[in-house]
Amino acid sequence: MAKQTFGSKAGLIAATVGSAVGLGNIWRFPAEVQANGGGAFLLVYILCVFLLGVPVMMGEFALGRGGRGDTISVYRRLAPGKPWWLTGVLGLLASYTILSFYLVVAGWTLEYLVSSVTGDLYATIPGDAPGSSAQFAHRMAEYVATPVKPVVFTILLIVINAVVLLGGVQKGIEKMSNLLMPVLFLLLILFCCVSLSLPEAGEGVTFFLKPDFSKITPGVCIDALGQAFFSLSLGMGTLVTYSSYFPKDTRLGRTAVTVSALDLLVALMMGIVIFPAVMSFGLANESFEGATLVFVTLPEVFMQMPGTQAWSILFFLLLLIAAVTSTISLAEVAVAFAADRYFKGNRRKSLLLVLLPLLIVSPLCSLSNGVLSHVTIFGQTLFNFLDTFSTNILLPLVGLTMCIYLGWFAPRGFLEEELTNRGAIRSLWPRVAMVLLRYVAPLLILLIFISRFA
Ligand code: PFF
């Protein structure tokens, strides 16, 4: 079967940005900004995106398109007989692990969307002051711990993934991204405009954008590095897999810069949405930890605005789009691998193999927030264990070995050939990327890694 490719440049960018833009940008980024002292974090984050994110992304793109295969077979093709394919195995494991709990959270966003439509989200709870943070915190805690509903919504998300992925690269992933990504940006622009028109907008923007250098500590830098890695979808095989669908004439350097810049732009826009809003409604001192920002603080904000339900619907739609496009890219890693390796390109069979186990694992993950919370792995619930194992261990490990492979062991001239489209374009990127991949990125990733255990 001929290898599938994306049909257009815009489609390829939309799909890759769709993978990168996710819950990481919408809630994790503002939470990190808040926890790390505002503008100081932002500055370091931007540096991390360009010093670490862009070169590693270029490396993943080169691997995927040059190796023309899934995240494991690219290494087998480029380094036959060597153990580098294990990096691909770890990438596959990372994407599948993240997918299993990301689906649960994506399910929450769908439920919050539905209950915004029905109005149930804003129904008062006996004993709590209407519209208070206690009301929404209780709702959230009760909701995630109930056994049935979150499982049903998780399964619905698996079904959505199945439908899109069944359509294949052009008619499934690309079509969905072309449709949803513009909607996501329009919604973001709308929210930015509304937030900037609020009374305390100036203060919020200042908190977010004004760098306070005294707050830059090693801890802040490491958090920013980790956030950049997660937000740009690095180290999970998704970018390798998607770039194996890039046509031969795609400019990989430019694409990596565009995708990283758009991902950063979404994070920046979310900062512009969140900080003016929480300042204006007197919620700036609430902690955004965990999922609080989107499921507790923002409903409080909407409650205080005219048109509560409409804003709530639009916001959870935005969140759902961000989450779904990311889950699709995570699932595609395994679907592409199984289709290539076991089913001669038959996506239907490969989808079954990939999604059926998720019908068990993801519901278990959901239940680990409630009835199964007493079952622990290394002292953590299944949900938390999969989260920390994948983000703290697998991601840096895959990123590190990939950089070492590309920087030191890949066939001579491989990166240059890919980044210049075999000499067809002139570009400074191969040299710059090589230095960053050889020395800078491994060092920085090593730092994240060590800090997780320190
Ligand atoms: N980048 C996504 C986010 O910011 O939420 C998460 C993600 C998606 C990570 C896809 C990894 C991935 F392969």
Side-chain angles (χ1 to χ4, degrees):
M1 209 169 128
K3 183 94 187 122
Q4 310 193 59
T5 54
F6 286 115
S8 70
K9 217 194 265 174
L12 152 178
I13 300 263
T16 316
V17 172
S19 166
V21 170
L23 303 171
N25 306 59
I26 312 264
W27 97 48
R28 214 173 120 164
F29 175 76
E32 293 275 354
V33 171
Q34 190 209 40
N36 288 303
F41 180 83
L42 178 62
L43 194 71
V44 183
Y45 181 72
I46 293 175
L47 276 178
C48 291
V49 166
F50 289 103
L51 277 185
L52 178 78
V54 171
V56 175
M57 193 178 280
M58 279 179 200
E60 293 209 20
F61 285 171
L63 266 178
R65 194 185 58 179
R68 288 216 93 44
D70 60 81
T71 182
I72 297 175
S73 69
V74 289
Y75 290 100
R76 284 196 192 276
R77 204 158 288 153
L78 295 170
K82 305 264 166 54
W84 291 106
W85 58 274
L86 288 170
T87 305
V89 173
L90 289 179
L92 180 72
L93 189 64
S95 59
Y96 204 71
T97 313
I98 294 193
L99 179 62
S100 61
F101 69 83
Y102 206 97
L103 281 166
V104 176
V105 186
W108 298 346
T109 68
L110 179 56
E111 197 276 341
Y112 269 67
L113 173 61
V114 171
S115 58
S116 300
V117 173
T118 60
D120 171 64
L121 178 55
Y122 296 93
T124 47
I125 297 179
D128 289 328
S132 63
S133 61
Q135 172 188 332
F136 294 112
H138 280 161
R139 187 197 192 271
M140 166 83 193
E142 259 171 41
Y143 173 70
V144 303
T146 50
V148 181
K149 227 173 162 192
V151 169
V152 172
F153 279 98
T154 303
I155 291 173
L156 266 176
L157 262 126
I158 296 177
V159 173
I160 295 175
N161 268 262
V163 172
V164 175
L165 289 169
L166 204 54
V169 175
Q170 283 194 14
K171 293 201 184 115
I173 300 173
E174 186 170 352
K175 215 167 149 190
M176 168 206 65
S177 312
N178 279 338
L179 181 78
L180 295 184
M181 293 317 285
V183 178
L184 178 133
F185 275 93
L186 283 178
L187 285 171
L188 266 173
I189 293 171
L190 172 71
F191 276 103
C192 281
C193 294
V194 173
S195 221
L196 286 174
S197 67
L198 292 170
E200 309 287 328
E203 258 181 65
V205 173
T206 307
F207 171 78
F208 177 48
L209 295 182
K210 193 168 164 212
D212 173 353
F213 294 100
S214 69
K215 290 202 173 129
I216 300 182
T217 60
V220 168
C221 298
I222 292 194
D223 278 0
L225 268 175
Q227 171 65 16
F229 226 80
F230 185 82
S231 186
L232 296 171
S233 303
L234 302 174
M236 277 168 265
T238 46
L239 299 180
V240 174
T241 306
Y242 269 19
S243 57
S244 73
Y245 307 137
F246 287 3
K248 283 203 179 67
D249 60 352
T250 304
R251 291 174 164 236
L252 300 185
R254 196 180 275 183
T255 307
V257 175
T258 310
V259 171
S260 305
L262 286 172
D263 185 72
L264 175 63
L265 178 69
V266 172
L268 286 173
M269 288 170 93
M270 271 320 289
I272 300 282
V273 172
I274 298 296
F275 295 104
V278 295
M279 289 282 177
S280 299
F281 292 109
L283 304 172
N285 293 326
E286 268 189 17
S287 160
F288 295 172
E289 239 198 307
T292 319
L293 171 64
V294 286
F295 296 118
V296 178
T297 313
L298 284 181
E300 265 186 280
V301 167
F302 300 139
M303 191 82 178
Q304 295 186 50
M305 286 168 58
T308 301
Q309 243 175 302
W311 293 119
S312 186
I313 292 170
L314 292 177
F315 178 77
F316 286 108
L317 180 65
L318 165 74
L319 199 57
L320 183 66
I321 292 176
V324 167
T325 48
S326 293
T327 57
I328 299 281
S329 72
L330 286 163
E332 178 62 14
V333 179
V335 172
F337 167 71
D340 271 10
R341 179 133 184 123
Y342 300 114
F343 302 116
K344 300 198 176 90
N346 183 329
R347 292 178 69 88
R348 199 174 281 259
K349 288 188 188 157
S350 125
L351 261 172
L352 276 180
L353 181 73
V354 171
L355 296 185
L356 282 181
L358 284 174
L359 285 174
I360 299 169
V361 182
S362 295
L364 281 177
C365 246
S366 175
L367 294 173
S368 78
N369 292 315
V371 288
L372 293 183
S373 63
H374 58 283
V375 182
T376 55
I377 308 168
F378 296 113
Q380 292 183 310
T381 62
L382 179 64
F383 186 101
N384 290 339
F385 171 74
L386 293 179
D387 184 1
T388 39
F389 177 62
S390 53
T391 15
N392 292 352
I393 297 178
L394 290 176
L395 296 197
L397 207 57
V398 179
L400 186 63
T401 44
M402 194 192 71
C403 291
I404 293 177
Y405 172 72
L406 280 168
W408 301 92
F409 295 93
R412 262 196 95 166
F414 171 73
L415 194 68
E416 177 159 357
E417 279 196 1
E418 283 305 318
L419 294 184
T420 59
N421 290 350
R422 301 186 189 276
I425 45 173
R426 284 169 145 246
S427 167
L428 266 185
W429 280 121
R431 282 205 192 153
V432 179
M434 198 52 159
V435 173
L436 293 171
L437 281 172
R438 272 197 164 179
Y439 306 103
V440 183
L443 214 87
L444 292 178
I445 299 171
L446 212 58
L447 262 179
I448 311 185
F449 206 44
I450 294 169
S451 78
R452 300 290 188 218
F453 295 100

